[in-house]
Amino acid sequence: MGSPPPADRRGPTAEEHAAHLVAHHRVRDERPIRVVFLAYDPPTWNTTLPLSRHLLGDRRFEATIVSLPHSYGSQGVLGPGFHGEEAMHRLLDRFSLPHLRVHESRIAEALPLIRDLRPHYIFRQRPWPRDLPPELHAEHLSFARLCYVPYSYLAAGLEQAPFGAASR
């Protein structure tokens, strides 16, 4: 019988496990897996930060972060419309994370930019369609697999149509 593993041996981190799952389908393909992180909600970026850092440093991936304006609907503290890219940019800079910027005045350029990156996977920070402009709702991002890293437990009674499904 073999000896038990050392007591201090830990399994893979959550980030390593997620990277393995994403990379699994491309085992025989040497080209990197292209991943885009849509970064638009500074308060919840801490849940995406470990995975984004891991994929940026993993040679199996070509990860790109895109900072975007967002909205919390007409009830948002910033009022109606899309705002906050500057705050997201500053946060990403503080973490020394390279990123592409899409300013509020250039939001129409976001979808073409993301398409040009040719991602296999797109990570959103929040599942709600109203957070991003209609051009970035799920039906316009169907050229890639959409992913979401939960930032909290979702309570019953919240919006029933995540990722842009018809919610009227």
Side-chain angles (χ1 to χ4, degrees):
M1 240 195 270
S3 61
D8 64 339
R9 172 139 170 91
R10 291 179 278 172
T13 65
E15 296 78 28
E16 291 166 340
H17 183 68
H20 174 74
L21 289 175
V22 170
H24 181 72
H25 80 282
R26 299 189 47 111
V27 170
R28 289 182 171 80
D29 193 339
E30 296 297 319
R31 294 174 292 175
I33 298 165
R34 291 182 302 277
V35 176
V36 170
F37 290 93
L38 303 182
Y40 52 91
D41 187 32
T44 63
W45 183 253
N46 64 329
T47 59
T48 309
L49 179 62
L51 181 60
S52 64
R53 278 190 171 153
H54 185 83
L55 296 188
L56 283 165
D58 188 323
R59 65 178 177 76
R60 297 175 296 173
F61 295 90
E62 184 179 297
T64 305
I65 301 171
V66 179
S67 62
L68 298 163
H70 68 283
S71 172
Y72 292 116
S74 61
Q75 310 307 319
V77 293
L78 299 175
F82 296 93
H83 312 275
E85 187 280 332
E86 181 65 32
M88 191 71 229
H89 161 69
R90 285 193 310 268
L91 179 68
L92 295 170
D93 268 358
R94 195 172 82 221
F95 288 120
S96 300
L97 293 170
H99 58 283
L100 303 175
R101 297 183 67 184
V102 177
H103 189 267
E104 288 85 352
S105 64
R106 302 181 74 124
I107 195 64
E109 297 173 14
L111 183 58
L113 169 70
I114 294 164
R115 278 189 185 279
D116 286 348
L117 294 170
R118 298 181 5 253
H120 298 105
Y121 295 88
I122 297 173
F123 281 85
R124 289 181 54 138
Q125 284 189 263
R126 297 167 46 95
W128 319 123
R130 69 179 175 262
D131 290 349
L132 292 172
E135 298 86 354
L136 296 177
H137 287 183
E139 60 269 18
H140 302 292
L141 301 175
S142 62
F143 53 87
R145 291 183 179 171
L146 289 180
C147 304
Y148 165 64
V149 178
Y151 57 91
S152 69
Y153 292 102
L154 299 177
L158 293 178
E159 192 170 327
Q160 298 296 312
F163 290 129
S167 59
R168 302 196 202 310

